[in-house]
Amino acid sequence: MPDGLLFASISAINFVCLIVSLWLGCYIVTRSPRSRVSWLVSATLWSLCGYFLNSLTDIQGPPGEGSLPWWWGWSVAIAVPFWFHLSVSLLSGKLARKQRPLVILVYLLTLNFVAMEAYTPWVFSGATMKPPIYNSAQHPGPLYPLFGLYLIAVPALSLYNLYLSWRQAKSRSIQRQFATLLWATSLAIFSGIYATLSTWLRLDTPTLISNFSLGAGVALLGYGVARYNALIKGRAIGLDFIYTSLAIGLVIGAYLLAAFISDLAFDVPFIAFIFIIMLAIVSHSLYDWARTYLDRFFYRRQYRELRANLRDFAREAVPGHELQEQLRTILETLCRSLDVSKGFIALREGEGFVVTANWQVDFGGQSIASDALATDEIAVLSPPMETLGLTDTPMALIVPLHAGGEQIGVIVLGQRTTGVSYTEDDLDLLEDLADTVASVVHTVRLQKRSVQQIDTLLREVREREQELQGKMREALVAEARPPVLEGQSEREAISLVEDALRHLHDYPYLGEHTLAQLRIIESYLDVQEGVFVTHLDRGKALQEVLTTAIEKLKPPGPQPSPPTREWHQYVILHDCYVLGKLNRDVMSALYISEGTFSRARRRAVRGVTRALAEMETQQKRPA
């Protein structure tokens, strides 16, 4: 392979491995921040991220011997103790306690090797004339064989610990996750052997193979631990993992496009964007996590909890296939623990049951009539019987799943492989397990209903927000409206109306009032031929106009006793001004305070003023 193509390939591999290790570390620790396993695997991934950063900057950086200090990235040795500590943490309690002194020893060895690598020529004695894309780019020092042995032996111990954990796992699903971790560790060991021998023997082998193998191990390690944590906690991970990875991929793609354009237009080297891209990954990965803590400064406790619960609900809602996976894991663990030959879990769907999870039988998704499996208590079938609708499948035990006062499913088990009948202890265990499974199924179904309820609630909230915004716009428009009455501001017009209402029965006063000059008054004058129109007639017409405007405040239907809130404005103006009652008597009749009375009266007077303005506007329109 030409050096140019090899250079580009190794740079791309290092960049991808850098991104994957950094993002997976952030993803795992944000999903399970209180898990020691999460922090150990994240420390491992971030340490390897530093190694890939060191390799990438060494390749992309300025040429020349010693051009990059050792701390530009850091040694791959830093990831080794975290990986080993992780493997010990996954062991059972007794085995883990035995290896605690060994964990401390590995950490101390790592500190010694890193110090020697940084400050002495004992591990690496200097750089060669070879480009950094080859393993022979550095001279091995006198202690390099010990360093190489350390890079191989400690991961090999990690592999052994993971193998022990794999053997101890009772669930096939948990075993699959440990198998993933075994493959990840095996790839890391292969990478260590390849790189160590190539450097020690000064072979011109490309770093592409070792870095690619280590990067594949990083991806498997991160995904395996994420799946393991999800299984232990009973969480769904599939959709969240895919969604988050695609979102980060889009962000990285945008930054890569910016880097490409900058390189073409301004000759900005790609290496200048590495730390910006890393910062973007960290900031986007920690966004939800940081927002949870920022909520403490801006929201009260009940709203903080609501926002956090909604975010968790949106991320951890269990889709149908995730529920099937959980039920399959539960059934498999149960059958292995009790030495059951076969079994299945069926959930009620409509008028029958549908097989959702099965073990050693092949009829997943098949429907069964409800009569065949309906039972209120554990039913021991002696002798074993064939389940209705499933031929050649003799079953020995039916365990009902109840939730919400109804049977939502069943666990059906076959005979035990040992030939021994189910004991009372087995039945007690199955009853407890049935309650747990029923709770899981019921919770998932409640999630589906909750999604619909939350969606409906959010739509109602948005509609109310739009309605409120509309009212606010109307209020703003009202502030910017032209004068309510010609030649008068709104405040002046309200003052005129209030003054006229106080003298509602004083015709001479009303006849000389400013409002008596409104054109609407002309339509209320009883003008007859030969009859003079005086200011008293205008006063009577203004009284009629004001009374008509007050009547427009009256709600439909008969007036209740005592008047309800929608009647307050009408009753206040009508009783105080038309009937001439005292304010205190009206307040007593409405059972309201003086402050409430004053506010309602002001709103009512403002409404009458607007009504007069609208009547005046309509009067001015040409016929």
Side-chain angles (χ1 to χ4, degrees):
M1 181 182 294
D3 284 354
L5 180 59
L6 185 61
F7 175 88
S9 300
I10 294 177
S11 297
I13 290 295
N14 283 326
F15 176 74
V16 172
C17 294
L18 165 68
I19 297 303
V20 170
S21 56
L22 179 61
W23 170 68
L24 279 175
C26 294
Y27 177 85
I28 292 171
V29 81
T30 53
R31 294 307 183 268
S32 302
R34 298 182 180 180
S35 169
R36 182 173 62 177
V37 171
S38 297
W39 283 101
L40 285 174
V41 73
S42 295
T44 305
L45 294 171
W46 290 332
S47 300
L48 292 173
C49 171
Y51 166 74
F52 291 121
L53 174 64
N54 188 43
S55 300
L56 185 61
T57 52
D58 194 16
I59 295 173
Q60 295 280 341
E65 184 176 352
S67 59
L68 292 175
W70 71 272
W71 43 263
W72 190 265
W74 53 55
S75 171
V76 69
I78 298 178
V80 174
F82 294 121
W83 202 317
F84 177 70
H85 195 173
L86 170 67
S87 69
V88 173
S89 298
L90 295 174
L91 290 171
S92 62
K94 186 176 180 180
L95 291 176
R97 285 192 295 271
K98 288 183 178 180
Q99 295 198 26
R100 284 177 183 173
L102 189 57
V103 171
I104 298 174
L105 177 62
V106 170
Y107 276 111
L108 293 176
L109 281 175
T110 302
L111 291 176
N112 285 327
F113 278 122
V114 170
M116 286 189 292
E117 187 178 356
Y119 300 111
T120 71
W122 298 345
V123 177
F124 293 104
S125 59
T128 66
M129 299 302 295
K130 295 290 183 180
I133 58 176
Y134 295 104
N135 287 306
S136 57
Q138 288 184 311
H139 287 295
L143 294 183
Y144 182 80
L146 290 178
F147 179 70
L149 181 62
Y150 159 82
L151 292 181
I152 298 172
V154 177
L157 288 175
S158 303
L159 184 68
Y160 176 71
N161 289 337
L162 292 172
Y163 172 73
L164 293 179
S165 300
W166 175 79
R167 289 189 58 184
Q168 293 173 348
K170 296 181 179 180
S171 167
R172 182 68 60 85
S173 298
I174 298 295
Q175 282 186 336
R176 283 197 292 267
Q177 306 317 315
F178 279 122
T180 302
L181 300 183
L182 285 171
W183 277 107
T185 309
S186 300
L187 289 171
I189 293 174
F190 170 77
S191 175
I193 294 174
Y194 174 85
T196 298
L197 292 178
S198 297
T199 302
W200 188 27
L201 300 177
R202 302 182 183 182
L203 302 177
D204 293 337
T205 55
T207 60
L208 174 68
I209 298 176
S210 57
N211 285 2
F212 179 80
S213 176
L214 184 59
V218 163
L220 290 177
L221 176 69
Y223 182 73
V225 171
R227 289 282 300 175
Y228 174 80
N229 284 341
L231 286 173
I232 294 299
K233 292 188 175 183
R235 291 189 291 106
I237 189 179
L239 293 180
D240 178 57
F241 188 87
I242 295 173
Y243 170 82
T244 309
S245 59
L246 288 177
I248 291 295
L250 291 175
V251 171
I252 295 172
Y255 278 94
L256 287 177
L257 179 61
F260 178 73
I261 295 175
S262 299
D263 185 25
L264 290 180
F266 308 106
D267 292 329
V268 178
F270 173 76
I271 195 66
F273 288 87
I274 292 297
F275 292 101
I276 297 176
I277 295 175
M278 292 176 64
L279 179 61
I281 294 172
V282 173
S283 60
H284 283 76
S285 299
L286 301 182
Y287 174 73
D288 285 337
W289 203 27
R291 189 169 59 176
T292 301
Y293 291 96
L294 288 176
D295 283 351
R296 298 180 180 180
F297 299 100
F298 299 99
Y299 297 96
R300 287 180 293 180
R301 180 176 180 179
Q302 64 184 75
Y303 294 109
R304 290 201 308 266
E305 293 177 353
L306 174 62
R307 289 166 60 85
N309 290 335
L310 286 175
R311 285 194 293 267
D312 292 340
F313 178 79
R315 185 173 63 239
E316 297 180 4
V318 181
H321 66 276
E322 294 286 353
L323 174 62
Q324 292 180 4
E325 182 67 24
Q326 290 184 8
L327 294 180
R328 192 176 297 114
T329 301
I330 293 172
L331 180 64
E332 178 186 342
T333 305
L334 172 64
C335 292
R336 287 178 177 273
S337 300
L338 298 182
D339 295 321
V340 178
S341 59
K342 62 188 69 176
F344 64 86
I345 297 177
L347 302 181
R348 183 179 289 278
E349 297 288 346
E351 298 298 326
F353 292 90
V354 176
V355 177
T356 306
N358 51 281
W359 168 255
Q360 301 297 343
V361 288
D362 188 17
F363 43 77
Q366 190 165 342
S367 298
I368 306 174
S370 59
D371 295 341
L373 300 177
T375 179
D376 293 330
E377 298 179 352
I378 295 180
V380 180
L381 306 179
S382 182
M385 301 172 58
E386 291 184 359
T387 305
L388 184 62
L390 303 175
T391 58
D392 301 327
T393 309
M395 292 297 171
L397 200 64
I398 298 178
V399 184
L401 305 177
H402 288 95
E406 62 179 4
Q407 184 180 359
I408 63 172
V410 289
I411 301 175
V412 182
L413 302 177
Q415 293 177 292
R416 304 180 71 170
T417 56
T418 58
V420 180
S421 301
Y422 291 97
T423 65
E424 288 297 325
D425 291 338
D426 295 335
L427 299 183
D428 290 340
L429 172 65
L430 289 171
E431 281 188 352
D432 294 338
L433 179 65
D435 292 338
T436 302
V437 174
S439 176
V440 171
V441 175
H442 186 60
T443 300
V444 171
R445 291 183 172 178
L446 283 179
Q447 282 182 345
K448 295 180 180 178
R449 297 175 193 167
S450 299
V451 168
Q452 298 173 353
Q453 293 173 355
I454 291 174
D455 184 59
T456 302
L457 178 61
L458 289 177
R459 281 201 300 267
E460 292 178 356
V461 170
R462 293 190 185 103
E463 290 175 358
R464 292 181 181 179
E465 285 181 349
Q466 292 175 357
E467 182 180 352
L468 177 61
Q469 291 172 359
K471 291 182 178 180
M472 292 179 65
R473 284 194 296 269
E474 290 178 1
L476 293 174
V477 171
E479 291 292 333
R481 282 175 181 158
V484 175
L485 299 176
E486 187 173 354
Q488 306 290 335
S489 66
E490 184 175 15
R491 180 175 297 180
E492 292 172 343
I494 292 174
S495 179
L496 289 173
V497 171
E498 192 170 8
D499 180 65
L501 289 174
R502 290 196 185 99
H503 300 84
L504 188 61
H505 300 288
D506 188 348
Y507 296 148
Y509 186 87
L510 292 179
E512 296 178 350
H513 200 277
T514 303
L515 296 180
Q517 305 305 317
L518 295 175
R519 295 187 182 184
I520 188 63
I521 301 299
E522 303 293 336
S523 63
Y524 280 80
L525 288 173
D526 186 13
V527 181
Q528 299 180 4
E529 188 176 353
V531 178
F532 295 100
V533 177
T534 67
H535 74 288
L536 297 176
D537 297 313
R538 287 188 173 275
K540 294 177 182 179
L542 179 56
Q543 182 199 53
E544 187 177 356
V545 169
L546 291 173
T547 304
T548 301
I550 291 174
E551 289 297 319
K552 292 182 180 297
L553 291 172
K554 184 178 181 180
Q559 179 177 326
S561 180
T564 53
R565 185 175 181 180
E566 63 269 17
W567 283 82
H568 286 183
Q569 294 185 28
Y570 168 74
V571 171
I572 289 173
L573 293 191
H574 181 268
D575 289 8
C576 290
Y577 297 117
V578 178
L579 301 182
K581 292 184 179 181
L582 296 176
N583 290 351
R584 62 173 178 269
D585 295 336
V586 176
M587 285 187 283
S588 298
L590 296 177
Y591 297 100
I592 59 176
S593 65
E594 184 176 356
T596 303
F597 174 85
S598 299
R599 288 191 294 272
R601 186 181 62 82
R602 285 196 299 269
R603 289 196 298 270
V605 172
R606 188 182 298 113
V608 169
T609 305
R610 293 301 311 168
L612 286 177
E614 292 165 358
M615 294 164 65
E616 179 72 2
T617 302
Q618 295 174 20
Q619 181 68 23
K620 290 181 180 181
R621 291 177 182 171

